[in-house]
Amino acid sequence: MTIKPNSAILARILFVEDQPDTVSGSKRLLMRYGFEVDSAHTLEEAYDKLRDKGYDYLFLDLMLPSTTQGQLLELGGLELLRDIQGGALGERNRDIKIVIVTGQNKSFCLGEVPDPKNCLMLTSKLEQHRALDAIRRDQQTRAGT
Amino acid sequence: MEALHLQTNHLNDLAGALREHPGSGQDPISIGLSFLEGKGFKTPRFYERVRDYVAKRDYFVLSQLAPGGARTDCLGAVLDYDRSRFARIEPNGLPLKLSREEAANTTPEVLDIMRCLQVQDLHVLHIGLSLADVSIGQIVASWDGDYARLSESDLHSLRVVGLLISQALQAQVRHQRNVVLEKVRRAIQHGSPSQGIEGLLDALCSSVREALGARIAAVFSYDWYSDTLTKVSEKHETGLVSDTYFEKSITRGTTVTGSAFSQAIASVVLRSTLDDPRYRELVNPQSAERHERLLGKANALLFRSFGSTERPLLLRLIGRETDSKHVFGQRHCATVDRICRDIEEVIGNQVTTRRLLCMQASAAAAINNVNDLNSLINIITSDIQHDQVLGVLAMLFDVQSVQPAICELSLAGASASPNRFDIDSAFLADLKNCKNSETIAIEGHPEAQAAGSCLRFLRERGVRHLLPFRFPLRNGWAIVAFLLDDVRQSSKLLYRLPEKQKSALESYAGLISNCMRAAETTISADNARRLIGHIGHEISNPVAELGEGAIEAIAEAMDVADALKDKLGNAEHQRLIRQWDAKIADINKKMSNVAINMDIAMDMAQETNGRIEVAFEPFDLSSLVYRISDQVASEVGLYFRPTDKCEFVFNDAALNYKSFVGDPRLIGKVFLNILRNALKYSNPPGGGRSIRISIHGNPQPGLAIFLVKNWGVPVPEGKKELIFRAFERGEQLDRLRAKRGMGLGLYIARRFAMVHKGTVICRSSVPTLIDPARRQREGFETTFEARLATNLPVGTYEVQL
């Protein structure tokens, strides 16, 4: 992945997605807009990167495979979300703004999110551009404050 | 105008009623009673009873006009007006007291008569007159004529005439009053008080026509008035019913004056009045015997006035509460019994056909607004009156394998009403055993042929069983078959049907067919729903990959353009970037549309075979609706230009549903789809203005109601229910506007509202502007209403839709 900030980096974004082709366009556009974009294709990789490096935004697919106690769970992203919001990944990550991206029914996922705090928005994989708009608005808000 | 009914014995109530015709704003009852009291008529106790009765009943009842004492003469007037509006027949045999809503709750027998007469849209007002209890002395004292030369019977008549003219007509027809008075005076001078009655009736008919724009449909009278009244009744096209005519109609079969319909109605009224114990309390006890005779006559006339096919129904009606001797009176009992036997013998089971038609009409009316089988089950289970619906549907669909509940309910309905579901068991045994329709058709039974077609039709649709549920007699099968599209044209099936009923049958058939199609859709939709769920889930990722890949490619191209900016030149570079930005926006828009549809599809998939799991919990409904309105507002670019904006306007009540128990996921879908629908079908306002959608709360006891109003594409009257069906979309105009969707949004909205014991309806779609050009531009005002129960219990449930 080539990171090509246009100028100063606006913010750091981590995409956690096991099917990278479903987010390729969004990542590319974010880079064009000046964001630093990183990717994690597995849950373990996401944990590592979050521990190693600070991010401002997280694009998180809830439907990530995860092995918990020997049992394969599809909602691995949910585990990560709970750990982030519960502080298991450090205080720095507790305030990370999260965009939940899912191929599942949004209504379904909405019910699964433990705490909507810091969830910037919940969107389907087909509407990631809405998340991009939300991030840009959030940036403007931060700049304003 | 409301149907007014008042039980009283005095003509001045007629005056009050006439005075009270629309717009006067006066209360005819109080006017009438005040007048009576003012004149000191009868005893206070009597009027108290009248007043109490009126207060409780709030209607006018046909009473009697009697020239005195035990002589119980009748002058009943049935005003027949405004056929475009109806009213109701009151249950329990009381006279017509009419409103559409309550008609649905009246007894099936009375409804049968209504349907047979096809008077569903008749608005009837009864005005009854009775002077039996009038103080003769008072009247005589107030009348300044010369009574010395008159006989006692003429005096009675004169008193009647005098009261009628001097009191009843004074308010409404002052200019006619003098004319009538003059007639009466002349009549008196010529020693013929019945001439006065003629003048009275003439004036009455004229005044009614003038005041209400209606005509008197029928007049009851005694023999000694009938000759003179005939001329007047012919002049005013008024039915005239007298002793003589009663006798004639029963014993000789002659036709009485006036239309049979008018007389039938009048007879119903008279019979009901005479049969009403409360009325009996108000009349002279000495008249009891006379009442009994009149009752018999009235019933006999009633019986006679109906066509042969309706008579057994009437018998049922009459026989429901009492035996025939009581109903028809001793004198007429034998005659009537003979007629009954003759009719039963002649027309045989044709009554069953008519009865079935009534059932089916009722069923069709009940299920007309039903979108699917599950909704129908809801109606059925909530209203035992509609057990006939079960019969029709069970016959048509045989949904035993799909919806066991229907089968069970059908059986319950059959056992609850064994008489209604009588059966020709041998015939049905043949049906069940037949291998194909021809087998039965060869036997030469039209019913069997029809039933064979019916069976074939059902089998073609995967029917595996015949339910142990029966229609009355074999004709039921013929009618059911008639209702089916593919055999409706069969002339053999029409042989029993009166010509005038065919169009009505066509209408019923259409309703049933619509219901049938809806049910078929639902049944197949259950299977389709699972498929949709899978597709919805599996298609998201590939579409996302395609879209994201395209965006990535365009973004790379933009990067290249950036790198080559110097060579391209600034203008060309900007042009390319704008062009590719637009491309990305277009891709995003298309992906959003796919996302919306996938979301809906997966909502559909949540429901399995009519069942859905819900979790009712307390939440802030207003906040949810507000958030959803924000989301929908952000989608405006999907349907309009990117620069257009959408504004949702809430009233206070809509923002005040803070505490609500329901499933927020599903409630969210209800409003998402309603608001999205409102946005999609709004007209772009132009002039830089925002698209405006209003959301009004209208709290009712036990209900949270939201009215969502937009201005744009109208919902045609005939489509207001259709749009709630699965996969149904508006026609031409929608497609012209290229609104993307599968026709599931409103379907889901209603289904999920039903989960919350509510519904979603299209309440109105009306033009707000006279100017066609502006209307075209600014659109129709369309209001959708979402109703949700507010008393749901917290918890997790599996709800049957």
Side-chain angles (χ1 to χ4, degrees), chain A residues 19 22 26 28 32 107 129, chain B residues 541 548 559 562 592 634 669:
Chain A
Q19 294 176 293
T22 60
S26 298
R28 188 77 192 209
R32 261 190 73 76
S107 300
H129 59 95
Chain B
N541 278 351
E548 290 286 312
D559 287 348
D562 288 346
S592 284
S634 74
K669 292 300 177 184

Side-chain angles (χ1 to χ4, degrees), chain B residues 365-534:
Chain B
I367 62 180
N368 189 26
N369 294 328
V370 172
N371 294 313
D372 53 60
L373 213 50
N374 293 319
S375 308
L376 183 62
I377 292 173
N378 282 343
I379 287 179
I380 291 165
T381 52
S382 64
D383 188 354
I384 195 66
Q385 295 290 326
H386 295 132
D387 56 357
Q388 60 265 45
V389 177
L390 289 169
V392 175
L393 287 181
M395 272 296 304
L396 290 175
F397 311 133
D398 194 334
V399 287
Q400 190 174 15
S401 60
V402 181
Q403 295 287 356
I406 277 194
C407 183
E408 292 167 13
L409 287 168
S410 299
L411 291 168
S415 60
S417 309
N419 295 332
R420 184 175 297 179
F421 302 105
D422 192 8
I423 174 181
D424 183 333
S425 56
F427 176 71
L428 280 172
D430 287 344
L431 278 180
K432 292 177 77 171
N433 296 329
C434 79
K435 293 183 178 178
N436 55 56
S437 59
E438 287 72 24
T439 305
I440 296 183
I442 290 171
E443 295 177 9
H445 301 295
E447 299 92 339
Q449 189 173 12
S453 300
C454 193
L455 281 176
R456 187 173 57 217
F457 181 91
L458 294 171
R459 284 172 178 157
E460 285 171 1
R461 283 153 178 78
V463 171
R464 289 195 288 273
H465 309 287
L466 269 177
L467 293 177
F469 178 94
R470 304 295 179 241
F471 278 101
L473 304 184
R474 62 188 63 180
N475 288 329
W477 291 87
I479 297 303
V480 169
F482 177 84
L483 291 168
L484 300 178
D485 285 343
D486 58 345
V487 295
R488 204 192 306 175
Q489 301 306 318
S490 168
S491 59
K492 289 180 182 176
L493 295 172
L494 301 181
Y495 76 106
R496 287 182 186 275
L497 301 173
E499 189 62 36
K500 63 182 180 182
Q501 293 293 344
K502 287 178 184 172
S503 61
L505 258 181
E506 285 289 343
S507 170
Y508 301 151
L511 294 173
I512 296 286
S513 297
N514 286 342
C515 181
M516 181 173 66
R517 279 193 287 273
E520 286 177 342
T521 301
T522 304
I523 292 167
S524 59
D526 274 336
N527 295 325
R529 203 171 281 122
R530 298 188 195 93
L531 183 62
I532 290 169
H534 289 301

Side-chain angles (χ1 to χ4, degrees), chain B residues 444-729:
Chain B
H445 301 295
E447 299 92 339
Q449 189 173 12
S453 300
C454 193
L455 281 176
R456 187 173 57 217
F457 181 91
L458 294 171
R459 284 172 178 157
E460 285 171 1
R461 283 153 178 78
V463 171
R464 289 195 288 273
H465 309 287
L466 269 177
L467 293 177
F469 178 94
R470 304 295 179 241
F471 278 101
L473 304 184
R474 62 188 63 180
N475 288 329
W477 291 87
I479 297 303
V480 169
F482 177 84
L483 291 168
L484 300 178
D485 285 343
D486 58 345
V487 295
R488 204 192 306 175
Q489 301 306 318
S490 168
S491 59
K492 289 180 182 176
L493 295 172
L494 301 181
Y495 76 106
R496 287 182 186 275
L497 301 173
E499 189 62 36
K500 63 182 180 182
Q501 293 293 344
K502 287 178 184 172
S503 61
L505 258 181
E506 285 289 343
S507 170
Y508 301 151
L511 294 173
I512 296 286
S513 297
N514 286 342
C515 181
M516 181 173 66
R517 279 193 287 273
E520 286 177 342
T521 301
T522 304
I523 292 167
S524 59
D526 274 336
N527 295 325
R529 203 171 281 122
R530 298 188 195 93
L531 183 62
I532 290 169
H534 289 301
I535 292 172
H537 183 57
E538 296 304 325
I539 209 169
S540 287
N541 278 351
V543 172
E545 286 177 16
L546 286 171
E548 290 286 312
I551 291 171
E552 184 183 13
I554 293 171
E556 282 190 4
M558 293 166 94
D559 287 348
V560 171
D562 288 346
L564 299 175
K565 185 175 179 180
D566 291 343
K567 291 187 179 179
L568 289 170
N570 193 45
E572 179 64 6
H573 174 260
Q574 289 298 319
R575 189 189 67 79
L576 284 172
I577 296 297
R578 278 200 302 272
Q579 177 182 322
W580 288 332
D581 270 338
K583 274 286 179 200
I584 289 174
D586 189 45
I587 291 169
N588 284 333
K589 185 175 174 179
K590 286 172 177 165
M591 292 220 295
S592 284
N593 274 316
V594 175
I596 288 170
N597 288 333
M598 287 302 104
D599 215 23
I600 290 172
M602 283 186 276
D603 283 338
M604 293 276 289
Q606 288 189 45
E607 185 185 325
T608 304
N609 211 15
R611 291 180 178 275
I612 187 167
E613 285 188 9
V614 298
F616 292 152
E617 61 187 49
F619 68 96
D620 185 339
L621 177 58
S622 291
S623 295
L624 177 68
V625 177
Y626 194 85
R627 284 203 308 273
I628 288 168
S629 73
D630 267 354
Q631 178 185 337
V632 174
S634 74
E635 293 174 357
V636 67
L638 293 178
Y639 312 110
F640 301 94
R641 293 172 304 182
T643 52
D644 283 329
K645 289 181 179 173
C646 174
E647 176 188 19
F648 284 88
V649 181
F650 290 74
N651 74 344
D652 289 344
L655 294 171
N656 210 26
Y657 290 113
K658 298 294 183 189
S659 178
F660 181 84
V661 173
D663 189 323
R665 292 178 309 143
L666 303 186
I667 293 290
K669 292 300 177 184
V670 171
F671 287 97
L672 181 65
N673 285 302
I674 295 174
L675 300 189
R676 196 176 267 161
N677 184 75
L679 172 62
K680 282 168 71 173
Y681 295 106
S682 289
N683 275 359
R689 293 189 296 272
S690 296
I691 294 168
R692 192 164 180 267
I693 297 170
S694 79
I695 302 177
H696 277 225
N698 180 24
Q700 300 287 335
L703 283 176
I705 297 178
F706 286 84
L707 300 171
V708 177
K709 194 174 291 184
N710 74 311
W711 288 265
V713 182
V715 179
E717 192 61 35
K719 302 280 185 188
K720 283 183 178 173
E721 274 303 312
L722 199 66
I723 56 177
F724 289 99
R725 288 185 185 172
F727 307 110
E728 286 284 353
R729 299 189 58 215

Side-chain angles (χ1 to χ4, degrees), chain B residues 157-232:
Chain B
S157 301
L158 181 60
R159 288 165 192 139
V160 173
V161 174
L163 184 70
L164 288 171
I165 294 169
S166 64
Q167 307 298 342
L169 302 179
Q170 64 178 354
Q172 193 61 38
V173 284
R174 288 183 186 281
H175 64 288
Q176 292 191 20
R177 180 185 172 215
N178 292 333
V179 175
V180 180
L181 276 173
E182 184 57 31
K183 283 188 177 181
V184 173
R185 287 201 173 93
R186 286 181 190 171
I188 293 171
Q189 286 170 4
H190 289 85
S192 174
S194 58
Q195 290 291 325
I197 292 292
E198 177 187 337
L200 156 72
L201 181 60
D202 192 14
L204 189 63
C205 290
S206 300
S207 63
V208 166
R209 186 182 292 275
E210 179 181 312
L212 301 177
R215 70 180 176 84
I216 293 179
V219 169
F220 287 90
S221 174
Y222 270 133
D223 292 346
W224 58 290
Y225 288 148
S226 60
D227 289 342
T228 51
L229 293 188
T230 299
K231 282 190 292 184
V232 184

Side-chain angles (χ1 to χ4, degrees), chain B residues 276-316:
Chain B
D276 181 3
R278 288 163 294 193
Y279 170 81
R280 288 168 184 266
E281 291 177 6
L282 296 174
V283 299
N284 191 331
Q286 296 174 0
S287 305
E289 185 183 347
R290 178 67 175 171
H291 287 174
E292 190 68 21
R293 289 174 54 207
L294 281 173
L295 188 63
K297 290 178 181 178
N299 282 325
L301 177 64
L302 171 70
F303 188 80
R304 191 72 198 174
S305 300
F306 281 84
S308 59
T309 53
E310 290 90 358
R311 284 174 197 161
L313 284 175
L314 298 175
L315 284 177
R316 287 185 54 164

Side-chain angles (χ1 to χ4, degrees), chain B residues 313-369:
Chain B
L313 284 175
L314 298 175
L315 284 177
R316 287 185 54 164
L317 171 65
I318 293 167
R320 183 167 58 85
E321 295 177 345
T322 181
D323 61 40
S324 60
K325 285 184 180 178
H326 172 73
V327 171
F328 290 102
Q330 293 291 344
R331 286 181 57 192
H332 303 286
C333 188
T335 306
V336 172
D337 281 348
R338 180 174 54 76
I339 293 173
C340 291
R341 284 197 303 274
D342 291 346
I343 289 172
E344 290 287 3
E345 186 179 335
V346 171
I347 66 176
N349 57 14
Q350 199 164 12
V351 63
T352 310
T353 305
R354 183 60 59 93
R355 171 69 184 161
L356 180 65
L357 291 178
C358 293
M359 285 172 58
Q360 288 170 340
S362 175
I367 62 180
N368 189 26
N369 294 328

